[in-house]
Amino acid sequence: MNSEKSQTPINNPKSVVRLPIIIGITLAAGVLLGSTFFSGGKKLSDVAKGFNKFREVLSLVENNYVDSVNTEELVDYSISKMLEKLDPHTAYFNAEEATAARSQLESGFDGIGVEFNIYNDTVYVVTPLSGGPSETAGIQSGDRIISVNKENLSGPGVTNAQVYKLLRGKRGTKVDLAIERVGLKEKMNFAVVRDRIPTFSVDASYMVDQEIGYIKVSRFSESTFEEFKSALKTLKTQGLKNLILDLRGNPGGYMERATSMADEFIAGDKLLVYTEGKDSRFDRKTRSHVDGLFEQGPLIVLVDEGSASASEILAGALQDHDRALVVGRRSYGKGLVQMPIKLNDGSELRLTISRYYTPSGRSIQKPYELGKGDDYSQDLSHRYESGELFNVDSIKFDKSKVYKTDGGRIVYGGGGITPDIFVPKDTVMNSKYLFELYSKNIIREYALRYANNNQKKLEKQTFDEFVKTFDVSDAMIADMVKDASKSGIKPNPTELNLSKPIITSQTKAIIGRYVWGRKQKSGLNNEVFQVLNPTDNVFQQAVQMFNQAAQLEKGKFSSLNIPRKAD
């Protein structure tokens, strides 16, 4: 989640309680500094001609157009439209967008430290972050933020972006909040001083049983590798022998964090990834070189259609070196490297400068046509419609792009990382009624209210006892249905019964996270995943695959049932 941490309705059943909300912007290349970038290349006279023409037109519009115009907006629009003629990942961000995008990959931000949720046009505090300035000031879960620095923050049209803008700011600066609290008639006023708020990218790290460990990584930010190493060390002290590394839904980030993680699994001096571009300055090779924490032991990596960029670098390196069994669905297919170039006004150009390749030579970039970004953006919809997310036989391999792993297994380039073991997307329990509950945030709001009202009673038991003994009752479901009706959602007993397992598991997960997990300073949301993973078909399949992962590690490929099929 992006914080000041926002809680929003999520349409993916398995991720509805995943707290980090990530802007889907990836820096596949990490931070490559291009101080000499503009030297060389095409003749400067050609560029100058184009620049002079644009400046002439802009000047004519500014001085002679019949109505007043916003020149800055025209320039931003012109740049964005120009870049649409290039590849799908070259992009331009204005100053505000660039700041928001960079913050997703930084190790923290300056703010007041709250998780919030917008519900019925009202901003609710889900929880003040432990040790943060809001908790110190006395802000409580369930508080409604009415105004910030006397600017109204309730009513139709309130957005996450508006909340971020008001709550974030330079550390040491003061924020005046007007709060409404349940049980009090009068508004409360708080003065909160902004401070540095850490962000986390390792969402979960826990032992599934006495030997199997699980680590969930949501993105590759500044702090990801250190978070990962810390999590891995802790699991090893708890008896770790088999590891599940979950990269599903991970949109990428800094390449160096992904290759550093790969180095913890891959022994010796081996190629991890290489990049090639038009300009040789952007060609580079990254190899393993450290004694890693988990170079031996069965390893399973989970990927899906939301795993992109740096996630694919990591999964591809582990697959090519036969180090991990890859389980799930074909990954996104982003193999283009962007260089972030900060412009004078604070805006930013993300310019594609090379392609990356896995150790076997595979380009993971899926096909695209220059200037046809709309078609490219529909790829995941096409996968759904073609049945690829549900049937392994619907995955199409390009037989002209055949490569081999270290052990001689066939892998294919030209469009993402194809898993060794395919697991279909589970949509059996989805329903229109469930999505309506998501759209109005009914499940989360009910669970938080229940946790608030029953916190003292729930805290008398341990979380492990809660997992084993607590059930979401029919009476609780009935109360949730009443909440939905009040929000305009018509009851539908048939669809409710179909989706009931999802509704109950998510409700339980949110309650567990709120009561036992919110005081953690590590950023881990283990409680959520410990409740949801046993109902996750990909996770369930992975737990059963460690015999095959062990055979793979030993180089005994003939015993593996890994389908490969070419067009």
Side-chain angles (χ1 to χ4, degrees):
M1 159 175 305
N2 157 18
S3 291
E4 291 316 324
K5 292 196 173 179
S6 159
Q7 308 271 345
T8 60
I10 301 174
N11 291 331
N12 182 333
K14 295 301 181 185
S15 64
V16 72
V17 291
R18 177 183 166 208
L19 300 174
I21 293 176
I22 304 162
I23 293 178
I25 296 167
T26 57
L27 287 173
V31 180
L32 301 180
L33 300 179
S35 59
T36 60
F37 177 76
F38 293 103
S39 62
K42 201 170 182 178
K43 288 188 299 181
L44 287 178
S45 60
D46 293 341
V47 177
K49 286 180 182 178
F51 170 72
N52 288 334
K53 181 189 292 187
F54 179 76
R55 183 175 62 180
E56 185 178 3
V57 171
L58 187 65
S59 180
L60 288 169
V61 170
E62 170 69 21
N63 295 322
N64 302 297
Y65 183 67
V66 63
D67 296 321
S68 297
V69 295
N70 185 319
T71 306
E72 186 174 353
E73 286 185 2
L74 286 178
V75 171
D76 286 351
Y77 179 78
S78 301
I79 294 172
S80 296
K81 297 303 288 185
M82 174 181 66
L83 298 181
E84 287 179 6
K85 294 294 184 181
L86 306 180
D87 68 274
H89 295 293
T90 291
Y92 168 78
F93 303 97
N94 63 37
E96 185 174 333
E97 292 168 339
T99 299
R102 284 193 296 269
S103 72
Q104 305 310 304
L105 298 179
E106 294 172 352
S107 58
F109 61 92
D110 293 347
I112 69 169
V114 293
E115 293 178 9
F116 69 88
N117 181 44
I118 299 175
Y119 178 62
N120 285 345
D121 298 317
T122 301
V123 179
Y124 288 87
V125 174
V126 174
T127 186
L129 301 184
S130 179
S134 288
E135 183 185 59
T136 302
I139 304 296
Q140 296 181 8
S141 300
D143 285 349
R144 297 185 292 273
I145 304 177
I146 305 304
S147 68
V148 178
N149 293 333
K150 297 184 179 181
E151 182 171 334
N152 187 42
L153 202 58
S154 63
V158 62
T159 65
N160 284 326
Q162 183 183 5
V163 180
Y164 299 149
K165 185 175 181 179
L166 291 173
L167 298 186
R168 291 185 177 186
K170 187 177 181 181
R171 75 185 74 178
T173 56
K174 187 178 70 169
V175 182
D176 291 318
L177 303 177
I179 297 287
E180 287 184 351
R181 181 169 294 171
V182 175
L184 298 179
K185 293 182 179 180
E186 301 294 327
K187 292 180 182 178
M188 305 175 68
N189 296 307
F190 291 87
V192 182
V193 179
R194 296 184 179 102
D195 202 350
R196 189 66 175 171
I197 310 298
T199 57
F200 301 95
S201 53
V202 173
D203 284 357
S205 173
Y206 69 91
M207 293 296 292
V208 178
D209 59 24
Q210 291 184 338
E211 294 187 349
I212 299 174
Y214 172 86
I215 296 178
K216 168 71 174 177
V217 181
S218 62
R219 65 190 184 282
F220 292 93
S221 65
E222 286 181 351
S223 61
T224 299
F225 179 57
E226 292 306 318
E227 290 178 53
F228 166 76
K229 279 184 65 176
S230 176
L232 189 57
K233 287 178 181 178
T234 299
L235 293 184
K236 290 189 72 173
T237 65
Q238 297 172 354
L240 174 70
K241 293 183 179 178
N242 308 313
L243 179 63
I244 296 174
L245 177 62
D246 193 346
L247 300 179
R248 289 176 296 172
N250 184 322
Y254 292 122
M255 184 179 76
E256 289 84 353
R257 307 313 189 268
T259 54
S260 293
M261 284 178 60
D263 206 351
E264 294 299 320
F265 298 116
I266 295 173
D269 176 24
K270 294 181 180 177
L271 184 64
L272 300 177
V273 67
Y274 66 94
T275 62
E276 291 182 353
K278 180 171 65 177
D279 191 320
S280 61
R281 287 174 300 162
F282 305 127
D283 296 349
R284 59 189 299 192
K285 292 183 178 181
T286 303
R287 307 184 68 87
S288 60
H289 62 281
V290 303
D291 293 329
L293 290 172
F294 199 74
E295 291 182 347
Q296 294 183 331
L299 173 63
I300 292 176
V301 175
L302 308 185
V303 298
D304 67 6
E305 58 280 359
S307 307
S309 191
S311 297
E312 296 171 294
I313 290 175
L314 175 54
L318 295 172
Q319 188 179 54
D320 280 1
H321 290 307
D322 301 304
R323 177 63 188 93
L325 190 70
V326 180
V327 175
R329 296 183 293 278
R330 183 165 66 99
S331 63
Y332 183 86
K334 182 183 183 298
L336 297 175
V337 180
Q338 281 72 56
M339 180 195 319
I341 305 169
K342 192 171 182 179
L343 306 181
N344 289 334
D345 66 346
S347 58
E348 188 169 280
L349 174 65
R350 303 272 177 91
L351 187 66
T352 297
I353 45 92
S354 60
R355 288 179 170 82
Y356 73 72
Y357 298 84
T358 70
S360 66
R362 287 185 286 171
S363 169
I364 303 304
Q365 179 60 44
K366 59 189 176 185
Y368 65 90
E369 292 185 56
L370 291 177
K372 294 190 176 181
D374 288 343
D375 292 344
Y376 182 85
S377 66
Q378 295 299 312
D379 175 62
L380 296 185
S381 296
H382 296 330
R383 294 193 202 185
Y384 184 94
E385 293 163 359
S386 70
E388 179 185 324
L389 303 184
F390 307 99
N391 191 330
V392 66
D393 292 331
S394 296
I395 302 176
K396 304 298 182 183
F397 299 105
D398 187 342
K399 62 183 179 182
S400 68
K401 297 178 180 178
V402 177
Y403 300 85
K404 290 187 178 181
T405 69
D406 289 355
R409 294 188 299 137
I410 292 176
V411 289
Y412 293 88
I417 300 292
T418 300
D420 301 312
I421 304 296
F422 174 82
V423 184
K425 189 176 182 67
D426 185 2
T427 59
V428 174
M429 291 179 284
N430 287 354
S431 68
K432 181 182 177 182
Y433 186 76
L434 176 65
F435 295 142
E436 287 178 332
L437 295 181
Y438 291 154
S439 70
K440 295 293 183 68
N441 229 4
I442 302 299
I443 297 174
R444 182 183 298 279
E445 288 303 315
Y446 175 81
L448 291 173
R449 187 171 73 246
Y450 182 92
N452 252 325
N453 294 340
N454 296 274
Q455 183 172 349
K456 290 183 179 179
K457 181 177 69 175
L458 291 167
E459 284 180 333
K460 291 180 180 179
Q461 60 186 325
T462 66
F463 175 73
D464 288 340
E465 291 171 338
F466 168 80
V467 171
K468 294 175 183 177
T469 64
F470 183 85
D471 290 316
V472 176
S473 67
D474 289 341
M476 294 171 66
I477 295 295
D479 286 342
M480 201 181 302
V481 170
K482 290 178 182 177
D483 289 349
S485 297
K486 292 177 182 177
S487 295
I489 302 173
K490 294 181 179 179
N492 189 321
T494 300
E495 292 189 358
L496 172 64
N497 188 59
L498 175 67
S499 301
K500 188 175 179 180
I502 295 177
I503 296 170
T504 56
S505 64
Q506 291 180 357
T507 302
K508 182 175 179 177
I510 295 169
I511 294 170
R513 190 262 169 183
Y514 179 87
V515 175
W516 286 277
R518 65 194 181 100
K519 294 183 179 179
Q520 292 190 35
K521 295 185 179 181
S522 63
L524 296 176
N525 298 308
N526 289 342
E527 293 75 17
V528 166
F529 291 91
Q530 284 176 270
V531 172
L532 289 186
N533 275 343
T535 68
D536 181 330
N537 67 322
V538 179
F539 176 87
Q540 289 175 318
Q541 179 85 357
V543 170
Q544 305 300 319
M545 301 304 301
F546 275 106
N547 284 337
Q548 290 203 44
Q551 294 298 309
L552 179 67
E553 186 187 18
K554 295 175 183 176
K556 298 180 179 180
F557 309 125
S558 59
S559 63
L560 297 178
N561 180 25
I562 300 176
R564 288 292 183 221
K565 185 176 179 181
D567 285 344

